[in-house]
Amino acid sequence: MERKTYSLTVFGCQMNERDAETLRGFLDELGYEETEDAANAHLVILNTCAVRQKAEEKVFGRIGRLGQLKEKNPEMIIAICGCMVQQEAVARRIKQKFPFVDLIFGTHNLSIFPELLVRAQKSEETVIDLWSDTPEVVEGLPVARQDNFKAWVNITFGCNNFCSYCIVPYVRGRERSRKPDDILREIKNLVKRGYKEVTLLGQNVNSYGKDLPEKIDFAELLTRVNDETGIKRIRFTTSHPRDFNEKLVKTMARGENICEHLHLPVQAGSNRILDLMNRGYTREQYLEKIALLREHIPHCAITTDIIVGFPGETEEDFAATLDLVDKVSFDAAFMFMYSPRPGTPAAKMPAQIPLEIKKERFARLLELQNKHSRRHNEALLGKKVEVLVEGPSKTDKTVWTGKTRSNKTVNFPGDGISAGQLVTVEITEIKTWSLMGRIHLD
Ligand code: 5AD
Ligand code: SF4
């Protein structure tokens, strides 16, 4: 019998990537096979993102085009899920504007996806199923991981911070931690199956454990992952600067398998803007934490997220962001122009910044950050680094690609190498976004 096929597109962050792995796990169990060919697929799923307007516009464009495919392939089931449709108004708008969509479900009811799919297959009308929050963490869902050597491992879901620009707390619900034993069991199983790296995932990993009956915090969880599982590389994201503390720095310094990389989103360099953003720290406190980290782990790579053009941001405020970027010298930064999200406090703030100014500030920030990224890469020239081999490079099949412990991409030629190996590479050339190297055999 012909196997049913599905096409799955994921927008947004690692959390969505990880959710997509659960969808793939369910679909494996249901006997579906993944295909790149959406036009002929039995099922097309879009796992959407709501963090910026651009992400939402992309999805609307995609749904429109799916409508044309469905005209030619009327049996096709179209499902839209994820953060964007967790906003009820958006879900209703999709149903109205694109009545050919079969299923809309949110972030909280992913665990009942097979049931929802059956309902959608039987129904003439769009099935919308949204829950306002997740009653409890559901364990034991199937997972088909995208990678054979590195894995995402959820540790917390949701966010309680309510940064004034951010939609996430509204679409991902309140913070919930997984039990440490469930996390450790999952990682031990991954190690048994040959995995070398895990990234512990949460909107704010530093608040791990606050809602659990047992007394455990994020630093203690990291120690247990380091000491008890045998996984070779441990990463985590995202850390909130307010909750990032000395205990965690010392844990990172001590844990030999914890990678020397910290992603610590600063968002802005002006205290006035940080306050308006409801971030809960000042630039001075942020700089102190960076100094503490550098004292204990001098070669730790530091990356960040920055928003330009937050409502009311003056030239002086923006200069404070540039100054902070210069002072910290980040290895890399994800930079965004502020995008008003309906329902968040910042969207209603006066003095929204015109697009032209946002663009101009963004370009200045990008130029400055590129200088720092390049400087960090140049410092690696001639150095030997450990690389986890991911496979042949996508752009140049004659070389291998992998990541250093500091999360930098390295490409290098070599025979007799396979994906999943940890190798030593000497850095021989610096490119803007990557490093070139040669395998080092001692
Ligand atoms: N506009 C622009 N950037 C945003 N981010 C979150 N919300 C917004 C918004 N409304 C950015 C933050 C966050 C990253 C994931 O996305 O920098 O850390
Ligand atoms: Fe959004 Fe702030 Fe929560 Fe991050 S910590 S998900 S920016 S509300």
Side-chain angles (χ1 to χ4, degrees):
M1 201 180 81
E2 186 207 6
R3 276 186 84 176
K4 285 198 164 185
T5 56
Y6 72 94
S7 142
L8 171 59
T9 310
V10 187
F11 299 83
C13 67
Q14 294 101 328
M15 219 45 91
N16 265 16
E17 293 286 354
R18 178 60 190 78
D19 283 352
E21 293 182 338
T22 299
L23 286 168
R24 289 195 184 93
F26 277 127
L27 289 161
D28 268 0
E29 285 185 352
L30 294 170
Y32 280 76
E33 196 167 28
E34 189 160 7
T35 174
E36 306 267 302
D37 177 17
N40 294 304
H42 295 96
L43 170 66
V44 178
I45 310 179
L46 306 183
N47 190 14
T48 64
C49 169
V51 91
R52 278 171 293 275
Q53 194 185 341
K54 244 202 194 138
E56 293 201 349
E57 281 164 7
K58 264 199 227 159
V59 171
F60 276 114
R62 253 314 261 289
I63 304 177
R65 291 196 297 282
L66 285 178
Q68 293 159 13
L69 296 183
K70 196 164 173 164
E71 273 174 26
K72 295 195 199 108
N73 176 8
E75 296 300 306
M76 175 191 280
I77 297 282
I78 298 176
I80 320 286
C81 63
C83 293
M84 179 176 159
V85 290
Q86 183 63 43
Q87 308 167 92
E88 228 180 299
V90 178
R92 262 188 273 117
R93 205 168 117 212
I94 292 178
K95 179 175 173 160
Q96 224 167 39
K97 207 167 157 202
F98 307 106
F100 55 82
V101 169
D102 300 280
L103 173 62
I104 297 175
F105 64 102
T107 57
H108 299 297
N109 51 356
L110 187 70
S111 57
I112 61 158
F113 169 66
E115 206 179 304
L116 295 171
L117 186 59
V118 172
R119 270 174 59 195
Q121 281 161 338
K122 286 189 185 150
S123 168
E124 290 290 312
E125 261 193 51
T126 311
V127 171
I128 299 191
D129 198 35
L130 303 174
W131 299 355
S132 59
D133 209 339
T134 310
E136 56 187 26
V137 175
V138 184
E139 290 293 341
L141 297 180
V143 51
R145 302 207 186 251
Q146 237 181 337
D147 205 286
N148 295 322
F149 307 101
K150 51 179 196 176
W152 311 112
V153 174
N154 293 118
I155 65 164
T156 67
F157 300 93
C159 184
N160 288 354
N161 283 316
F162 291 95
C163 300
S164 62
Y165 51 81
C166 188
I167 194 78
V168 169
Y170 305 88
V171 294
R172 287 271 175 185
R174 298 290 64 73
E175 255 168 38
R176 305 163 305 273
S177 303
R178 285 180 73 198
K179 294 196 187 83
D181 289 346
D182 290 329
I183 297 168
L184 292 163
R185 191 176 317 116
E186 179 174 344
I187 299 175
K188 284 180 195 162
N189 278 332
L190 289 166
V191 172
K192 267 192 217 144
R193 289 164 43 212
Y195 278 80
K196 299 283 171 27
E197 180 178 305
V198 292
T199 302
L200 308 179
L201 278 187
Q203 243 76 45
N204 175 10
V205 290
N206 301 93
S207 65
Y208 175 78
K210 285 185 183 154
D211 56 324
L212 289 175
E214 55 252 77
K215 218 185 124 291
I216 182 163
D217 63 16
F218 180 56
E220 287 155 8
L221 176 74
L222 258 188
T223 300
R224 290 193 63 184
V225 175
N226 183 75
D227 296 354
E228 297 174 28
T229 65
I231 191 85
K232 289 277 185 293
R233 284 181 164 196
I234 306 162
R235 303 186 185 281
F236 53 89
T237 199
T238 297
S239 270
H240 192 298
R242 189 196 51 219
D243 306 319
F244 183 79
N245 57 24
E246 187 162 0
K247 182 174 176 185
L248 185 51
V249 172
K250 288 188 171 159
T251 302
M252 288 176 71
R254 189 194 139 263
E256 68 280 11
N257 295 340
I258 303 172
C259 289
E260 294 77 18
H261 172 218
L262 177 71
H263 184 62
L264 197 66
V266 66
Q267 311 297 1
S270 141
N271 282 336
R272 204 178 65 82
I273 298 294
L274 286 171
D275 188 41
L276 285 172
M277 286 178 162
N278 191 29
R279 289 290 288 176
Y281 55 86
T282 61
R283 65 181 269 129
E284 290 77 17
Q285 286 167 330
Y286 185 88
L287 290 169
E288 269 168 32
K289 294 190 190 206
I290 297 291
L292 190 71
L293 182 72
R294 292 231 158 102
E295 181 194 327
H296 287 273
I297 317 171
H299 298 299
C300 192
I302 305 174
T303 57
T304 200
D305 293 347
I306 300 171
I307 297 176
V308 302
F310 185 83
E313 184 186 73
T314 61
E315 186 52 37
E316 204 186 332
D317 292 319
F318 179 62
T321 295
L322 293 178
D323 180 67
L324 182 132
V325 166
D326 243 349
K327 283 212 165 77
V328 175
S329 185
F330 295 105
D331 287 72
F334 297 98
M335 293 160 278
F336 309 101
M337 285 187 275
Y338 168 71
S339 168
R341 304 287 61 222
T344 61
K348 292 190 265 325
M349 284 181 188
Q352 297 284 328
I353 305 295
L355 182 63
E356 281 316 302
I357 295 183
K358 283 185 197 164
K359 280 189 181 163
E360 186 261 340
R361 288 182 186 162
F362 183 89
R364 279 154 70 198
L365 177 64
L366 184 68
E367 195 189 327
L368 177 63
Q369 178 51 43
N370 282 349
K371 265 191 226 155
H372 285 281
S373 298
R374 208 176 161 86
R375 194 178 73 89
H376 283 283
N377 280 347
E378 276 163 5
L380 285 173
L381 203 59
K383 296 256 168 24
K384 290 179 198 129
V385 289
E386 180 199 279
V387 173
L388 174 58
V389 183
E390 292 179 2
S393 159
K394 285 204 178 83
T395 45
D396 176 0
K397 298 275 182 231
T398 65
V399 296
W400 294 92
T401 192
K403 290 248 169 32
T404 66
R405 283 172 63 102
S406 59
N407 211 29
K408 293 193 165 69
T409 301
V410 183
N411 296 319
F412 55 96
D415 295 322
I417 295 166
S418 50
Q421 252 181 299
L422 285 165
V423 294
T424 305
V425 175
E426 186 178 331
I427 304 301
T428 54
E429 196 188 332
I430 307 302
K431 302 221 171 146
T432 315
W433 299 117
S434 63
L435 304 163
M436 286 298 295
R438 66 167 162 260
I439 279 269
H440 189 83
L441 305 162
D442 10 46

